[in-house]
Amino acid sequence: MSLSNIFNVAGSAMNAQAQRLNTVASNLANADSATSANGTPYKAKQVVFAATPMGEGGATGVNVAAVVDDPSPMKQVYDPKNPLADEKGYVTMPNVNVVEEMVNMISASRAYQSNVDMMNTTKTLLLKTLSLGQ
Amino acid sequence: MLNRLDDMLNFHAQALRIREQRQQVLASNIANADTPNYKARDLDFRAALQGALQGASASAAGALATTSPRHLEGPSGPASEPGLLYRTPAQGSVDGNTVNMDAERAAFADNAVHYEFDLTRITQQIKTMLAAIQG
């Protein structure tokens, strides 16, 4: 039945958006992490969405194909007193763009809301279908 | 007699089925609003309903005429599954995604209301029939 398949489609999209939100959260949290367990500064992560077919009739869900490191260059901050500074006094800081991440966050939460709305509408329709003829 | 009852319900039942399918396609569009290179799709409701009704009234609509019993029959399934069409993007985007969220949301709400309308009509028809049967 197509209608109940919408739950799968919306669910997959919500899952993907939640993962995106998760990535944004860790990027923002680590915006100033100049070092990490392996000694390198934190690198911003980005999710890659991919459309996946879900059943017949053109239903297409979303899945997270990969979580990739942001390829943008690392920030160089002049701070000679920092123990992590190189011989010229520059510290390599994470390449997290805070503005971009905030935009990403709002976009993800709006997309999540749309999918919740979609699920609610579908639920109403399904319940009405169940009471057909009464 | 039962055949007549079935015919009476058939139109809205088919419409309901296509509305359901369209709802699913629109849901996929909204779900993929942020997927790079996703192309928004939609169903031509009129063409789909016409195809479905023709397929239901004469299931051999697309069947080949045979003049000998040894002729091979073509695939005679109802040609009621029209292809999904791709939307023409109103504004292009850098990531190749053609989902226009406003249009999709509007179409989704519109389709939901039409679905409810079809449900209501079927309920009314059932009530009419019950009234006729019970007198």
Side-chain angles (χ1 to χ4, degrees):
Chain A
M1 190 168 168
S2 317
L3 269 189
S4 40
N5 203 16
I6 295 182
F7 286 115
N8 295 336
V9 172
S12 73
M14 280 159 71
N15 195 14
Q17 297 293 352
Q19 197 165 339
R20 182 178 170 199
L21 213 50
N22 217 333
T23 318
V24 170
S26 65
N27 285 351
L28 282 178
N30 284 293
D32 290 319
S33 302
T35 185
S36 61
N38 58 8
T40 55
Y42 177 83
K43 272 198 166 164
K45 308 269 189 291
Q46 303 292 348
V47 290
V48 179
F49 286 169
T52 38
M54 282 193 159
E56 76 279 9
T60 317
V62 192
N63 79 336
V64 178
V67 181
V68 296
D69 282 347
D70 198 324
S72 55
M74 306 299 271
K75 255 187 296 185
Q76 301 291 330
V77 177
Y78 184 70
D79 184 8
K81 290 195 290 297
N82 195 314
L84 294 165
D86 60 9
E87 64 275 9
K88 287 178 185 160
Y90 283 96
V91 184
T92 311
M93 296 295 278
N95 54 350
V96 177
N97 185 336
V98 177
V99 177
E100 219 169 76
E101 296 301 333
M102 291 303 281
V103 171
N104 231 338
M105 180 182 86
I106 295 168
S107 172
S109 71
R110 289 282 179 261
Y112 193 94
Q113 280 174 12
S114 296
N115 283 292
V116 173
D117 278 358
M118 205 157 77
M119 266 196 176
N120 277 331
T121 311
T122 310
K123 186 184 154 205
T124 316
L125 289 183
L126 264 181
L127 287 179
K128 288 218 166 133
T129 313
L130 283 179
S131 62
L132 181 64
Q134 282 170 16
Chain B
M1 180 57 202
L2 275 175
N3 191 15
R4 293 246 180 96
L5 291 181
D6 198 37
D7 279 351
M8 196 174 167
L9 285 175
N10 184 43
F11 179 80
H12 284 290
Q14 293 292 347
L16 209 55
R17 199 178 58 76
I18 295 165
R19 286 284 170 207
E20 197 177 52
Q21 203 194 340
R22 181 160 185 244
Q23 195 80 347
Q24 185 181 283
V25 174
L26 294 172
S28 303
N29 288 348
I30 297 177
N32 283 287
D34 292 322
T35 309
N37 289 320
Y38 177 83
K39 306 295 177 208
R41 293 192 291 180
D42 201 356
L43 209 64
D44 183 353
F45 182 78
R46 179 199 291 261
L49 183 59
Q50 262 168 6
L53 287 175
Q54 278 160 10
S57 60
S59 61
L64 297 174
T66 53
T67 50
S68 159
R70 274 178 273 172
H71 284 167
L72 290 174
E73 282 180 26
S76 62
S80 63
E81 290 294 75
L84 289 167
L85 307 172
Y86 286 93
R87 250 197 233 295
T88 318
Q91 298 177 61
S93 66
V94 187
D95 64 354
N97 186 306
T98 62
V99 177
N100 178 356
M101 201 55 167
D102 303 320
E104 301 300 339
R105 290 289 297 264
F108 191 83
D110 173 79
N111 201 56
V113 172
H114 276 93
Y115 185 90
E116 286 196 35
F117 166 75
D118 283 329
L119 280 179
T120 313
R121 278 298 288 146
I122 290 181
T123 307
Q124 282 172 352
Q125 283 180 339
I126 291 172
K127 287 214 174 106
T128 313
M129 279 184 226
L130 279 178
I133 291 167
Q134 289 165 351

